[in-house]
Amino acid sequence: MFSAGSFHPLHLRPRSWNSRLMSTNPTNGGEALVRALECEGVEVMFGLPGGAILPVYDPIIDSSIRHVLVRHEQGAGHMAEGYAHATGKPGVCMVTSGPAATNVVTPLADAMLDSVPMVCITGQVPLAAIGTDAFQECDTTGITMAVTKHNFLVTDPQDIPRIIHEAFHIATTGRPGPVLVDIPKDIVDPVNPRSAMTWYEPDSVPMELPGYHPQTDGDPALIQEAAELIAHAERPVLYVGGGILKARAAEPLLELAELLAIPVVTTLMARGAFPDSHELCLGMPGMHGNYTAVTAMQRADLLVSLGARFDDRVTGRLDGFAPDAKIIHVDIDPAELGKVRQYNVGIQGDCKVVIEGLVDITKKLGPGAQADRSAWRSTVSGWQEKFPLTYEQSLPGDKLKPQFVMEQLRDGNPDDTILCSGVGQHQMHASQFWRFDHPYTWINSGGLGTMGFSIPAAIGAKAGMPDRRVWAVDGDGNFQMTAQELVTATVEDIPIKVALFNNSYLGMVRQWQEMFYDERFSEVHLSDHVPDYVKWAESMGAVGIRVESPEEVAPAIAKANEINDRSVVIEFVTDARENVFPMVPAGATNSDVVVDPSQQHLLDGTGGDS
Amino acid sequence: MNVSPASPRWHTLVATVENKPGVLARVAGLFSRRGFNIHSLAVAPTNDERFSRITFTVDIEGTPLDQVVKQLDKLINVVDITELNPAHSVERELMLITVETGESRKELMEIVDDYRAYVLSDGDDSMMMSWSARPARLDELEERLRPFGIVELQRTGRVALPSLDD
């Protein structure tokens, strides 16, 4: 490229000029950190450099790890989450101290509530400056204590490989979660003698975690008891949560459900863990679940909870939830057992291991051991026929119905498409109207409900699964929180597709104000005029398309799917008056589920029972 | 006034934790963020310097108690946690108490002898004593001394170990 003897621009300098060759072992904390990440199998990380983490960004240049430069640290955290959700591997992000560390607090809390394996590296001011209110100093481990599974403040560079190994071990085993490693600048900075260390492979030394022994094997006696309880149940429901996906237990779940012919509800975190198109699948339960899923749980005589945690959005008012149901609760986290609802059989264990145990015992018991459930199945299918998800089609001149757009989006994409969502009405409509037939195709912020999640999460998912089609569904309120990461998508060549549901409102809040605050709309109208989403998308290097009429919807989706060299944003101008139904009003029991206005007359005094 | 440690409302938890910076903050923070109150707390290293022992008294039972124990056990730095059965454990607490002597020095010394307390420091018009006993007995002594005028008082919070009688 350039003749011998010519001057070398800095970025073209020969590798021999660089003291840190990959072939030599690290000699300081910064190199050791990057090498330790490589040893843990990290292929992609998301981050943004700054003062305290600067020394670690130098060895990044020579690393095999792909670093994705984000535009805001919150984006780095959500990208790491999206990557983890899609691939099953831990997501990694790295940011500097102070404001960068506080900017990842939201993704950490999000990952904590949704049990997402994630390792976050933060820079910290030098050890001697800690506690002096130094520039860009904050108490990162103190601040993040409540939103991480564990965190570390490293004080000796010699500990770095071991602590990184411990961080990945904690993040990925037991109930997964985020782990933060806070690293003072002086122990990673090669110009500081304090950074000197002697390299060792991270897994070559024993971990120092005397208090961490996650248990995965369920107690065989309890599994036997559970199988027998199931056998005697006449109205059982398998209540399936995100733990199934974390345990990679979708296959044994399918086997168990088919073996027993028991209907399955999949929570918001478990969409795709059991195929929606399967005849036993009742879809999503909870506040915006469909009538059959909600009511089947309500009328069940046994709930078999597999990796679910009786979240308030599922149970509604607790004292009226599934009043006749006995409970089998399986969770890898013992603290979930009995936390919300007392169980009859509580099994601490990995869902996959326990379900395989249940399958074995059920086979041994034989089909003759199972109670007759034909009446239950016909009751459930009666509800399905009577109360399908529905909405009224738009009239000419109306704005688009969001449910219609979601159906078109579903029908215009293959079923292995990865769908990421923000938080609000569009999220509920996506969960309701998409058809999830494969695990790990649905990525959303369930527990924390983090607006702005979808775009960075979609970028993270696409970075981890570059051969898969990744769509982000987003609301206009959400989009304005994290849309700048589309710049990251463009620059880093990680093209995603965004279906932006623009109803000019904070729609879910609007719905609550309409239903529960006498239509007194307070601070929910964003703007009918600004921003111009098409121009905004184009300014970020994406293709922008605005769609306002029903006949334009499918062609726009098809056009977006033909564009693979850059991101695409389709702005669907939707009807703000459209609400999410069914709905269990806050404070009500699930027996008081409100269905679509067009079906409300079908509910009799007994809640529509057949 | 007297609170019996054997009353079912009070539960004593003993945790073995890693002796590292920040561990007490993790434990205390967990109590506050999950909405539980610590009634009494004592913490010090054990005979193995890698570990400390924390003794808590909490005024919860049933599901919340079960939750506290399980959530504490989930903390990576908590090695072990057990609830002590009051019927099969020994509890002690230390109290330092400074009392006005006034005209009552002789009477006070009788109480000191009676309770087998120690006089640690003797001033012109006040006296500091120490006494270690079951927490309920400390309450008793405190009440006996209150009429003399308590100047200052510090209790350590209870420590406990399983008894050897079973």
Side-chain angles (χ1 to χ4, degrees):
Chain A
M1 277 170 79
F2 44 87
S3 58
S6 70
F7 86 102
H8 302 305
L10 275 179
H11 65 286
L12 292 177
R13 61 188 173 172
R15 287 183 82 81
S16 59
W17 287 15
N18 195 315
S19 59
R20 286 169 292 277
L21 283 175
M22 288 302 289
S23 55
T24 60
N25 278 335
T27 56
N28 65 69
E31 293 171 354
L33 173 61
V34 174
R35 180 69 66 87
L37 293 172
E38 291 170 354
C39 291
E40 294 299 327
V42 177
E43 292 168 350
V44 185
M45 62 195 291
F46 308 91
L48 193 143
I53 198 74
L54 255 170
V56 182
Y57 269 84
D58 190 66
I60 284 283
I61 296 172
D62 302 317
S63 170
S64 62
I65 300 171
R66 176 184 185 185
H67 182 279
V68 174
L69 173 62
V70 301
R71 295 304 184 264
H72 186 288
E73 292 90 351
Q74 184 189 355
H78 292 321
M79 285 179 205
E81 286 187 276
Y83 179 90
H85 273 293
T87 64
K89 295 185 276 188
V92 180
C93 64
M94 181 159 77
V95 302
T96 192
S97 63
T102 58
N103 278 345
V104 295
V105 169
T106 299
L108 289 170
D110 194 277
M112 187 70 176
L113 276 176
D114 286 346
S115 307
V116 183
M118 173 173 162
V119 173
C120 177
I121 313 289
T122 48
Q124 182 55 277
V125 300
L127 275 169
I130 288 178
T132 65
D133 306 313
F135 177 65
Q136 289 192 332
E137 181 189 0
C138 73
D139 175 12
T140 302
T141 48
I143 289 169
T144 59
M145 204 172 270
V147 295
T148 52
K149 185 174 175 185
H150 192 56
N151 62 23
F152 296 89
L153 171 63
V154 189
T155 55
D156 183 341
Q158 198 60 37
D159 292 339
I160 287 176
R162 174 179 55 80
I163 287 179
I164 291 297
H165 187 55
E166 290 171 353
F168 278 81
H169 177 67
I170 293 169
T172 55
T173 54
R175 180 178 184 166
V179 178
L180 180 140
V181 185
D182 199 27
I183 304 195
K185 184 175 189 178
D186 50 338
I187 69 164
V188 288
D189 187 356
V191 303
N192 190 314
R194 281 193 52 90
S195 75
M197 62 86 67
T198 306
W199 171 252
Y200 55 95
E201 297 287 326
D203 58 0
S204 67
V205 297
M207 288 187 284
E208 295 178 14
L209 301 171
Y212 184 66
H213 307 288
Q215 290 191 9
T216 53
D217 293 342
D219 180 338
L222 291 172
I223 296 174
Q224 176 81 32
E225 199 182 325
E228 287 168 10
L229 196 56
I230 294 170
H232 290 112
E234 291 172 357
R235 303 190 309 280
V237 172
L238 298 182
Y239 160 33
V240 167
I244 289 285
L245 295 171
K246 302 303 187 307
R248 310 201 86 75
E251 273 183 48
L253 170 67
L254 183 65
E255 188 180 3
L256 181 71
E258 289 184 339
L259 190 62
L260 292 161
I262 295 181
V264 178
V265 300
T266 50
T267 69
L268 183 64
M269 291 310 296
R271 305 290 289 128
F274 191 80
D276 274 345
S277 56
H278 197 287
E279 59 176 0
L280 290 169
C281 191
L282 309 186
M284 180 175 74
M287 180 174 268
H288 291 296
N290 70 70
Y291 180 87
T292 305
V294 171
T295 307
M297 290 182 89
Q298 224 27 25
R299 303 296 173 81
D301 66 351
L302 176 68
L303 292 180
V304 184
S305 171
L306 302 167
R309 59 182 177 89
F310 294 85
D311 181 79
D312 56 86
R313 285 312 194 249
V314 167
T315 63
R317 205 177 83 205
L318 197 59
D319 59 9
F321 171 68
D324 304 325
K326 290 185 175 172
I327 306 290
I328 295 170
H329 196 167
V330 180
D331 205 294
I332 199 161
D333 179 357
E336 288 301 338
L337 306 178
K339 183 182 82 174
V340 174
R341 171 79 179 246
Q342 280 306 313
Y343 53 81
N344 300 87
V345 181
I347 305 174
Q348 181 195 348
D350 178 84
C351 272
K352 189 169 185 221
V353 175
V354 174
I355 292 172
E356 286 167 350
L358 287 171
V359 167
D360 284 348
I361 295 167
T362 302
K363 282 179 178 168
K364 278 183 199 142
L365 291 173
Q370 299 298 322
D372 178 10
R373 297 177 191 125
S374 50
W376 176 235
R377 279 196 297 278
S378 89
T379 302
V380 169
S381 50
W383 291 327
Q384 283 179 310
E385 277 171 36
K386 201 167 172 185
F387 296 103
L389 284 169
T390 187
Y391 62 96
E392 281 185 44
Q393 296 294 337
S394 57
L395 300 170
D398 279 357
K399 288 184 175 173
L400 294 166
K401 296 287 183 181
Q403 302 95 326
F404 171 78
V405 176
M406 206 63 79
E407 286 178 331
Q408 295 293 305
L409 202 58
R410 173 195 68 201
D411 295 342
N413 283 290
D415 62 2
D416 69 343
T417 302
I418 294 173
L419 190 67
C420 300
S421 176
V423 168
Q425 288 180 316
H426 68 279
Q427 176 191 29
M428 293 297 106
H429 282 139
S431 176
Q432 291 178 336
F433 287 92
W434 194 269
R435 187 186 303 107
F436 296 98
D437 276 342
H438 303 283
Y440 316 108
T441 55
W442 168 241
I443 296 172
N444 85 134
S445 166
L448 194 66
T450 307
M451 285 177 67
F453 178 81
S454 78
I455 287 177
I459 294 169
K462 182 73 178 175
M465 300 294 234
D467 299 331
R468 294 275 287 279
R469 186 178 292 172
V470 178
W471 272 92
V473 291
D474 218 359
D476 47 327
N478 285 254
F479 188 86
Q480 292 187 50
M481 291 188 177
T482 52
Q484 78 276 8
E485 298 305 342
L486 284 170
V487 177
T488 305
T490 299
V491 174
E492 297 276 349
D493 192 22
I494 309 171
I496 61 163
K497 304 177 199 307
V498 182
L500 168 59
F501 289 69
N502 175 20
N503 64 359
S504 303
Y505 276 90
L506 299 170
M508 186 59 92
V509 189
R510 185 193 180 283
Q511 173 169 348
W512 282 55
Q513 291 179 348
E514 179 185 325
M515 294 175 70
F516 310 121
Y517 290 84
D518 298 328
E519 301 185 23
R520 285 165 53 83
F521 296 116
S522 176
E523 305 297 325
V524 287
H525 184 233
L526 295 170
S527 166
D528 294 326
H529 311 293
V530 290
D532 183 324
Y533 293 101
V534 171
K535 285 185 184 165
W536 191 2
E538 285 171 351
S539 75
M540 293 188 285
V543 174
I545 303 168
R546 180 175 293 122
V547 172
E548 292 175 288
S549 65
E551 63 276 11
E552 297 171 332
V553 172
I557 292 165
K559 183 180 172 192
N561 281 335
E562 283 165 13
I563 299 168
N564 291 311
D565 61 344
R566 68 189 76 182
S567 295
V568 184
V569 177
I570 310 180
E571 175 199 4
F572 296 102
V573 181
T574 58
D575 189 343
R577 298 168 302 175
E578 201 57 39
N579 288 333
V580 182
F581 288 110
M583 178 173 192
V584 178
T589 77
N590 284 357
S591 297
D592 300 322
V593 56
V594 178
V595 294
D596 188 82
S598 68
Q599 295 172 333
Q600 200 64 33
H601 69 282
L602 296 172
L603 290 172
D604 56 32
T606 61
D609 201 353
S610 53
Chain B
M1 170 65 205
N2 284 359
V3 179
S4 159
S7 152
R9 197 171 148 235
W10 299 92
H11 293 265
T12 303
L13 307 176
V14 177
T16 304
V17 303
E18 289 185 75
N19 183 7
K20 281 183 176 174
V23 173
L24 184 60
R26 287 177 200 276
V27 168
L30 188 139
F31 270 86
S32 68
R33 78 172 174 271
R34 296 221 176 239
F36 303 119
N37 187 34
I38 303 174
H39 175 71
S40 139
L41 175 78
V43 50
T46 62
N47 53 320
D48 183 337
E49 64 179 18
R50 292 173 301 163
F51 304 111
S52 293
R53 180 167 286 125
I54 304 180
T55 308
F56 314 86
T57 314
V58 294
D59 61 346
I60 47 176
E61 55 190 353
T63 302
L65 178 66
D66 185 53
Q67 267 297 300
V68 151
V69 172
K70 286 172 169 176
Q71 295 291 353
L72 283 170
D73 205 17
K74 274 168 68 176
L75 292 178
I76 307 292
N77 300 126
V78 172
V79 178
D80 180 57
I81 179 159
T82 48
E83 189 198 346
L84 287 185
N85 182 336
H88 299 290
S89 59
V90 179
E91 294 184 318
R92 284 294 178 272
E93 187 171 2
L94 174 70
M95 175 167 73
L96 301 184
I97 183 166
T98 303
V99 181
E100 289 173 25
T101 44
E103 304 300 312
S104 323
R105 177 170 296 272
K106 182 163 173 291
E107 214 180 319
L108 271 172
M109 287 311 294
E110 280 169 12
I111 295 174
V112 167
D113 285 345
D114 197 16
Y115 280 81
R116 294 188 216 166
Y118 295 95
V119 176
L120 297 184
S121 182
D122 199 356
D124 291 339
D125 44 21
S126 61
M127 181 192 289
M128 187 203 297
M129 291 164 254
S130 85
W131 197 45
S132 113
R134 285 187 291 114
R137 291 274 287 154
L138 293 188
D139 296 340
E140 212 180 287
L141 178 60
E142 193 180 322
E143 287 312 301
R144 281 285 300 275
L145 295 174
R146 191 174 301 282
F148 297 91
I150 296 172
V151 182
E152 278 187 299
L153 181 150
Q154 170 73 61
R155 291 168 63 154
T156 57
R158 68 190 68 188
V159 293
L161 284 176
S163 56
L164 308 174
D165 56 4
D166 53 349

